Amino acid sequence: GGGCPHILAEPQRTNDITYSEDFSQTDWQKIKSSVTSGFSSPDGGNNSYRWQEDTNSGVHSLKESYSFTSVDYSQTIFIKPNGRSNVLLWVDGASKGTRFDLSSGTIYSETSSVGKITAMNDGWFKISTTVLGTSGTAFNLYSLDNFGNISYTGDGTSGFYVYGAQLEVGSYATSYIPTSGSTVTRNQDIFTRDGIGSLINSEEGVLFLEMAALQTTNTNAEYLVISDGTYTANSIMIQLRSGANQLAVWGYSGSVYQIAETITLTDITDFNKIAIKWKLNDFEVFVNGSSVYSLATYTAPTGLDRIEFSRNGTAHFYGKVKQLQVYKTALTDTQLAALTS
């Protein structure tokens, strides 16, 4: 996705587009248009296609049919302008979708959908539209003229480059899954590191995390945990919540439930810096430079020896993690403020 390197933890997803890169296939309808292969793509190869409108009047689009009934799903494609900078990624059968301005890299309208545009290398963009609880019949990428009209007379040369189409069931778009003749499923990402008790001081310490969630509201079943292997015995947990931009901090010590605090962030899908300090009668949470929660009657856990992007193998955390650090001493408030700023 570009930018600084980070861990990307995603759920299992299937790309239901069977030819995600070969737009010459008959599965892809070229409506008042044509495609030509052999152009540079975001992955550094020469495997993108140039889509070009013809000179007829009407709608000009690239379309693949499917059939979904009352589910959440996302349509995604990589695109680079070549004479046409206004496009509409549309869900046929549902009359929902998102209009994009590729000259400015912005969304300029959404129709009962949630759009996203991400700038890539060499003028490419990744665009997606997500619809919820919707039945649909086709992935449709429309070209729009310079005035934003969906129906116009083509000039025979203008268009855009396309690469990497994806159709997936889910309430947000995930990273690209290539296909070449059949659907392809990517397994969920699992990150666990155990047997590191020598690196963790159970009596006192700090868990520092710089992370971004994949969507604003989550499922209440996504955890990042430092524990002794039994989260209800000794643990410190970060949970992504179903409330908008919310996470929770939980904690057990000696099988005693001690901490349950919900924290609301400005935007949980942005990278936020979170530090959790634990020590006898001194528990505190800092977010983005400020203390947001403290507890003066706290018993430290024992036996902490692992970090999991899950809660004992279930309730997996899905998000982006740029930094994850564990300190063996309880840092001062000044240090925590600096660390999370």
Side-chain angles (χ1 to χ4, degrees), residues 1-6 118-121 271 320 322:
C4 296
H6 54 261
T118 303
M120 310 296 289
N121 59 300
F271 277 102
K320 303 173 185 177
K322 192 178 291 185

Side-chain angles (χ1 to χ4, degrees), residues 48-59:
S48 77
Y49 276 74
R50 181 182 66 199
W51 178 93
Q52 187 170 294
E53 64 191 35
D54 64 19
T55 57
N56 289 312
S57 296
V59 299

Side-chain angles (χ1 to χ4, degrees), residues 16-333:
D16 287 302
I17 298 290
T18 54
Y19 289 97
S20 65
E21 297 176 17
D22 188 356
F23 297 96
S24 68
Q25 294 288 329
T26 55
D27 291 21
W28 286 103
Q29 301 173 53
K30 280 69 73 173
I31 299 171
K32 293 184 174 61
S33 61
S34 61
V35 295
T36 308
S37 64
F39 297 89
S40 61
S41 65
D43 71 359
N46 292 314
N47 51 344
S48 77
Y49 276 74
R50 181 182 66 199
W51 178 93
Q52 187 170 294
E53 64 191 35
D54 64 19
T55 57
N56 289 312
S57 296
V59 299
H60 306 263
S61 74
L62 181 65
K63 175 180 177 179
E64 175 156 340
S65 298
Y66 59 78
S67 180
F68 278 165
T69 303
S70 300
V71 294
D72 302 344
Y73 56 98
S74 299
Q75 298 180 169
T76 304
I77 196 165
F78 295 84
I79 188 167
K80 179 180 178 179
N82 183 42
R84 293 297 179 196
S85 295
N86 298 323
V87 297
L88 169 62
L89 190 53
W90 192 248
V91 180
D92 277 10
S95 298
K96 298 178 181 180
T98 306
R99 292 178 180 238
F100 300 89
D101 182 349
L102 304 178
S103 62
S104 61
T106 59
I107 293 168
Y108 63 88
S109 73
E110 296 171 324
T111 303
S112 301
S113 64
V114 177
K116 186 175 182 180
I117 182 167
T118 303
M120 310 296 289
N121 59 300
D122 193 30
W124 283 90
F125 294 92
K126 181 182 181 182
I127 61 173
S128 66
T129 189
T130 296
V131 295
L132 304 178
T134 293
S135 300
T137 59
F139 180 120
N140 213 333
L141 178 65
Y142 288 97
S143 174
L144 309 177
D145 70 9
N146 295 335
F147 302 100
N149 297 312
I150 194 170
S151 181
Y152 61 92
T153 300
D155 61 20
T157 59
S158 294
F160 37 74
Y161 300 98
V162 286
Y163 168 83
Q166 185 152 308
L167 172 68
E168 59 189 306
V169 175
S171 58
Y172 56 90
T174 64
S175 58
Y176 174 50
I177 305 167
T179 66
S180 56
S182 64
T183 64
V184 174
T185 298
R186 180 193 58 236
N187 292 331
Q188 69 180 15
D189 297 308
I190 299 174
F191 299 90
T192 301
R193 179 73 186 274
D194 57 11
I196 54 173
S198 63
L199 304 178
I200 303 172
N201 183 359
S202 297
E203 293 183 358
E204 64 173 273
V206 172
L207 171 63
F208 170 67
L209 180 69
E210 184 175 3
M211 58 76 68
L214 298 180
Q215 58 182 347
T216 301
T217 58
N218 295 278
T219 64
N220 275 350
E222 298 183 31
Y223 286 81
L224 191 148
V225 179
I226 183 170
S227 76
D228 65 352
T230 307
Y231 73 92
T232 55
N234 293 281
S235 64
I236 296 164
M237 299 180 283
I238 295 175
Q239 177 199 22
L240 302 183
R241 301 283 285 170
S242 60
N245 297 306
Q246 288 186 346
L247 59 80
V249 176
W250 303 85
Y252 286 85
S253 297
S255 299
V256 177
Y257 177 56
Q258 295 199 62
I259 305 152
E261 180 67 16
T262 297
I263 298 164
T264 301
L265 306 177
T266 301
D267 186 347
I268 202 169
T269 63
D270 284 343
F271 277 102
N272 292 276
K273 295 181 179 180
I274 303 159
I276 301 173
K277 175 182 68 174
W278 68 91
K279 187 178 181 180
L280 179 64
N281 296 329
D282 186 7
F283 187 95
E284 194 162 14
V285 181
F286 272 72
V287 175
N288 298 330
S290 299
S291 175
V292 297
Y293 173 73
S294 62
L295 179 65
T297 55
Y298 174 74
T299 301
T302 59
L304 302 180
D305 68 352
R306 69 197 63 204
I307 296 173
E308 299 178 82
F309 282 42
S310 67
R311 191 184 62 190
N312 288 117
T314 63
H316 293 273
F317 172 91
Y318 299 124
K320 303 173 185 177
V321 177
K322 192 178 291 185
Q323 297 188 75
L324 194 158
Q325 303 168 19
V326 179
Y327 293 82
K328 297 179 75 172
T329 57
L331 304 180
T332 66
D333 285 1

